[in-house]
Amino acid sequence: LRIQFSYQIYKPFIIRDSFKLKKFINAGNYDYILLNSLVLFPLINKKNKYIVYIREMCVADKGLKKKLVHKLNLANRLIYIDPALKNPLHEVTTKYAVINNPFDMRGLSEISPQEIESRFPGIDMNKIIVSIIGVLDAMKGIDFVIDVFKKVNREDILLLIVGEGNNADYIAECKKSAVNCKNIIFLGE
């Protein structure tokens, strides 16, 4: 997921809820606050200690990247899921660790659009494709992502949800919520 795109989608929600989030963060006496996405970088401040879990490739315009680098330099630690994610953020001087994702991300660049089209007929490869891949459960907030996609309502974006889960009711709720949105596709496992 590209930070530029993610930030554009989630920015209205971050701005809308930032007062509540900041109030919640400042009310607690936390040793550390874990942010599990680069999209949450606007929350980072000097007052609290932050650990940022980086699982997105940073592709951002100069203005957004400058803000991102500044905020990440305020964090206490960074965790990258793959060494390749550090390269676009080489200006960040915060101490970091790489805890490799068990999924080999290098192979992603080798999948051609033609291969995707042949394996999943009907997917429009001219759209921006965002995917959720893995076990589908409420803790991952799939219902939240579906709600965001429905509110954003952009014809040029496609959400692919790939995987299964143990909570059939939750998955059925998610599918029901997305039933009238042609840009959300559940592919199963």
Side-chain angles (χ1 to χ4, degrees):
L1 198 56
R2 295 178 176 197
I3 184 67
Q4 184 81 35
F5 171 70
S6 305
Y7 185 66
Q8 287 173 349
I9 285 186
Y10 291 110
K11 186 177 181 181
F13 298 96
I14 292 170
I15 291 170
R16 183 191 72 203
D17 296 331
S18 67
F19 178 74
K20 291 178 192 174
L21 286 169
K22 288 177 183 176
K23 186 176 178 182
F24 177 77
I25 288 170
N26 291 331
N29 186 17
Y30 305 107
D31 293 328
Y32 289 91
I33 297 167
L34 175 67
L35 301 178
N36 70 347
S37 174
L38 282 176
V39 175
L40 299 172
F41 80 89
L43 297 173
I44 300 171
N45 59 43
K46 292 179 183 179
K47 182 179 177 184
N48 297 297
K49 294 180 181 177
Y50 292 88
I51 299 171
V52 184
Y53 183 69
I54 301 173
R55 53 199 170 100
E56 304 100 336
M57 181 62 74
C58 177
V59 178
D61 63 40
K62 287 181 182 181
L64 179 59
K65 188 169 182 182
K66 184 178 178 180
K67 291 176 189 174
L68 177 64
V69 168
H70 170 72
K71 290 288 193 166
L72 290 177
N73 280 329
L74 296 176
N76 293 76
R77 295 287 186 274
L78 305 176
I79 301 170
Y80 295 92
I81 66 164
D82 191 280
L85 299 179
K86 170 71 176 130
N87 295 339
L89 296 170
H90 64 274
E91 301 100 328
V92 177
T93 58
T94 301
K95 290 183 182 180
Y96 69 93
V98 175
I99 300 176
N100 285 311
N101 185 350
F103 182 79
D104 184 358
M105 296 178 72
R106 292 173 295 176
L108 290 177
S109 63
E110 298 171 15
I111 298 172
S112 71
Q114 294 79 18
E115 185 177 350
I116 293 171
E117 286 176 324
S118 70
R119 291 172 107 183
F120 306 107
I123 293 177
D124 185 348
M125 295 305 296
N126 294 317
K127 293 187 178 192
I128 298 168
I129 299 176
V130 176
S131 60
I132 298 173
I133 301 172
V135 176
L136 307 181
D137 64 32
M139 291 189 66
K140 293 189 178 179
I142 293 156
D143 55 330
F144 174 75
V145 175
I146 290 170
D147 287 343
V148 168
F149 264 73
K150 287 169 39 180
K151 288 175 183 172
V152 170
N153 194 24
R154 286 187 38 190
E155 296 279 329
D156 62 329
I157 303 170
L158 178 67
L159 173 63
L160 297 180
I161 302 173
V162 182
E164 294 293 332
N166 294 330
N167 188 339
D169 292 338
Y170 176 73
I171 294 171
E173 259 181 58
C174 289
K175 287 180 178 180
K176 183 178 177 183
S177 174
V179 75
N180 292 323
C181 188
K182 63 183 179 182
N183 283 352
I184 301 175
I185 299 173
F186 284 82
L187 293 176
E189 218 171 304

